[in-house]
Amino acid sequence: MKTTNSLLSILLFVAIAVKAQNRQIAFSEINTAATAKQGDPVNQNDYKGTPGKDLTIEITGVNIETDIDPFKFYAGSVEKDKVNILSKVYDAPNKTYKVNFGAVIRGFTSSSTIEIKKNDKTVYSFDVRIGNNETGSRSQCEQGSFQQDAQTEFDNRILKKYKDDVEIVLKDKNNLYIDKNNTVHIFVDHYGKYYGYAPPTTATEKYTYQVHLITSDCLGKENLYFFDYTGNYNPTFNIEKNASAQSAGPVKITVIDFARIGPFTEKFNFSIKRAPITNTSQLTEIVKADVTVPKLYHVSITTGLIATTLRNPQNIEQVPLNATQNTLIADDPSIRGLITVMAVFYPQGRSFLYPPHGQIFDPSRFGVVVGTQFGKDADENFLGGFSFDFARGGAVILGAHFGRRNVIPGHNNFDFGEDVFTESTLNIKKEWNVGVFFGASIDTRVAVELLKTLFTAP
């Protein structure tokens, strides 16, 4: 009996394995993806010859079904209805959303690409190969075959060439390829697929940009490519149109380098269009990208909490120390705390939509601060020093405190509660002096948002 049950379990497992193959991808990976996640290619023959076998994309971590509403599913360049054509299934207890591409794949007549897009930006894709998949027997101009070759070329040679020629490096935190001159390099093929990283959704004013089009001889010899962009850098405005290039040369994969553009403020966009040489008015848009450029600030207002070594004892009183001697007591007799308001000057400029970047001593993390105590004694306390950003909107501050303080003539370094006070009367004066302060500050924009959250929390 146990043998029979085991055999049935094995047969059931095999049947399920034959019927469907799940490709899992986390919702978090595609919801805020800076670059498209590339899945392994599949062969149509693996699904076409087995009746009932399906290929399902399973998106995990979907809290509610409507979270998938912004996403669209494409087979080749054609959007597929995720409800009717693709037979979606949402499993609320397990938080999974499944769409079945089995029937679509079996209906392909040429190699193509399956894609998930959000806001017209590809966030996940994989290639589907049709028929004989040997390199020598397939058409390089067919999209799936071309992109397979282009990805290999990009990984093995193209990226290395640009690393050597213009010294581009990968900035992991910002998901950018950027060179020593702050030029962002964007690689895209003539079907609109990005290689490496897509354009940033937000950028900074110090960046310029260069787009590199990956194409091939067979398409390049038949087409012209037009690179358009619009954007402004105050106080000047600069628009160029119809900069074209035609691929040439004996190599199979060709890269067209368009002109560097930027820098920009506020926002900019670019597009690449393709047209047959025989009819340049028949334009097909390959890719279009819109990029927001957050304002770059050089001065910011922050609030902070500091400790200062500039003593300013308050409510000084004479009390007995022992049976024959007196001493003095006071509030805040030594190091004290202050709430401050400060202006911070950033020589490199800062965008508050970005966390600080670079190594620990990167110049963009440092600022010069000047400020005062918050409250009625603002005209008696002046602060100056430096700030070091450790997080977006947060900084460690250090510097000099020049202020007016209470002193007892002849007893400037009196140890309250310990030293003997021998004067017959207590005489308190004011004097200006210098101390050292240290503490932490938070940008007022961040502070306001925190307060909003506190007052609106249930």
Side-chain angles (χ1 to χ4, degrees):
M1 185 66 177
K2 290 182 178 179
T3 303
T4 304
N5 288 340
S6 298
L7 181 59
L8 287 173
S9 298
I10 293 171
L11 290 174
L12 179 61
F13 174 80
V14 170
I16 293 173
V18 168
K19 184 176 181 181
Q21 175 193 341
N22 277 2
R23 291 193 160 214
Q24 280 195 345
I25 182 170
F27 178 75
S28 59
E29 289 186 276
I30 62 175
N31 189 38
T32 57
T35 181
K37 185 176 179 62
Q38 186 73 26
D40 294 332
V42 302
N43 294 322
Q44 184 194 55
N45 289 343
D46 295 340
Y47 300 88
K48 197 169 186 179
T50 307
K53 184 177 181 182
D54 291 327
L55 186 145
T56 301
I57 298 178
E58 179 181 87
I59 305 173
T60 62
V62 181
N63 292 321
I64 55 175
E65 186 174 1
T66 53
D67 286 346
I68 299 295
D69 287 349
F71 294 87
K72 297 180 180 180
F73 297 81
Y74 285 79
S77 59
V78 180
E79 182 183 356
K80 297 295 182 181
D81 187 335
K82 56 193 172 189
V83 175
N84 300 315
I85 298 176
L86 300 178
S87 304
K88 64 91 181 176
V89 176
Y90 177 64
D91 185 342
N94 293 318
K95 297 182 179 180
T96 60
Y97 189 100
K98 299 179 181 179
V99 287
N100 187 344
F101 277 90
V104 174
I105 290 173
R106 286 190 290 275
F108 282 159
T109 58
S110 61
S111 296
S112 193
T113 302
I114 301 296
E115 294 178 284
I116 302 176
K117 293 185 178 183
K118 182 181 180 183
N119 300 328
D120 295 325
K121 175 184 172 184
T122 300
V123 294
Y124 175 73
S125 68
F126 62 89
D127 296 329
V128 179
R129 301 168 182 167
I130 307 301
N132 188 341
N133 292 287
E134 295 299 323
T135 303
S137 62
R138 53 188 168 85
S139 170
Q140 193 217 329
C141 284
E142 180 274 317
Q143 181 177 350
S145 299
F146 164 78
Q147 290 181 333
Q148 180 184 344
D149 288 344
Q151 187 68 59
T152 301
E153 190 76 10
F154 177 79
D155 293 338
N156 296 336
R157 285 172 288 277
I158 294 175
L159 187 57
K160 182 180 184 303
K161 175 182 182 297
Y162 284 91
K163 285 181 177 179
D164 293 340
D165 291 353
V166 296
E167 300 181 27
I168 66 170
V169 295
L170 169 63
K171 286 204 169 184
D172 291 319
K173 287 185 178 180
N174 304 101
N175 292 322
L176 297 174
Y177 289 122
I178 188 167
D179 67 24
K180 61 183 179 180
N181 297 315
N182 280 328
T183 297
V184 176
H185 294 264
I186 301 165
F187 299 88
V188 62
D189 70 21
H190 57 221
Y191 291 106
K193 174 186 173 182
Y194 292 106
Y195 291 76
Y197 290 98
T201 52
T202 55
T204 72
E205 294 179 5
K206 63 183 180 181
Y207 290 159
T208 57
Y209 306 84
Q210 186 171 26
V211 178
H212 309 276
L213 180 69
I214 301 174
T215 183
S216 64
D217 286 355
C218 56
L219 277 171
K221 291 177 180 178
E222 300 170 358
N223 294 274
L224 290 173
Y225 296 94
F226 297 86
F227 179 69
D228 298 348
Y229 75 91
T230 60
N232 62 296
Y233 184 82
N234 294 329
T236 62
F237 187 71
N238 186 13
I239 297 180
E240 259 184 45
K241 289 186 176 292
N242 297 333
S244 64
Q246 181 179 350
S247 64
V251 295
K252 182 168 61 174
I253 299 295
T254 303
V255 180
I256 300 173
D257 299 326
F258 293 111
R260 295 191 184 195
I261 58 174
F264 301 104
T265 58
E266 299 175 2
K267 62 181 179 181
F268 74 96
N269 63 63
F270 70 84
S271 67
I272 302 175
K273 298 180 178 69
R274 181 177 65 229
I277 293 176
T278 55
N279 185 2
T280 56
S281 63
Q282 186 181 335
L283 292 172
T284 300
E285 188 171 75
I286 300 171
V287 65
K288 182 176 181 179
D290 297 293
V291 181
T292 300
V293 183
K295 187 173 180 58
L296 195 65
Y297 291 91
H298 286 276
V299 178
S300 174
I301 303 298
T302 67
T303 57
L305 182 63
I306 67 167
T308 176
T309 62
L310 185 63
R311 302 197 308 168
N312 186 24
Q314 303 291 316
N315 303 319
I316 303 172
E317 296 180 9
Q318 184 176 185
V319 298
L321 177 63
N322 51 46
T324 60
Q325 296 174 312
N326 291 332
T327 188
L328 298 177
I329 61 172
D331 296 334
D332 299 328
S334 57
I335 292 178
R336 57 195 171 104
L338 297 178
I339 297 175
T340 64
V341 57
M342 292 184 168
V344 186
F345 171 68
Y346 296 98
Q348 296 288 320
R350 282 297 309 275
S351 167
F352 294 99
L353 292 183
Y354 283 107
H357 61 276
Q359 300 300 319
I360 187 170
F361 294 114
D362 189 273
S364 65
R365 290 179 176 267
F366 290 89
V368 178
V369 297
V370 292
T372 184
Q373 178 182 356
F374 181 79
K376 62 182 181 65
D377 294 327
D379 59 344
E380 294 187 354
N381 293 277
F382 301 99
L383 308 165
F386 300 94
S387 72
F388 170 77
D389 285 14
F390 60 85
R392 181 167 53 194
V396 176
I397 51 178
L398 173 70
H401 176 191
F402 180 63
R404 197 163 178 246
R405 62 174 186 159
N406 292 326
V407 295
I408 303 164
H411 300 276
N412 285 352
N413 297 312
F414 191 86
D415 189 356
F416 288 84
E418 298 291 337
D419 290 351
V420 175
F421 183 69
T422 58
E423 306 291 337
S424 58
T425 60
L426 176 61
N427 186 20
I428 302 173
K429 298 290 185 181
K430 292 276 192 180
E431 75 170 18
W432 291 90
N433 213 319
V434 177
V436 175
F437 76 86
F438 58 91
S441 67
I442 184 172
D443 187 86
T444 51
R445 299 172 186 83
V446 178
V448 168
E449 293 303 318
L450 289 175
L451 291 174
K452 286 182 181 177
T453 302
L454 291 175
F455 286 113
T456 57

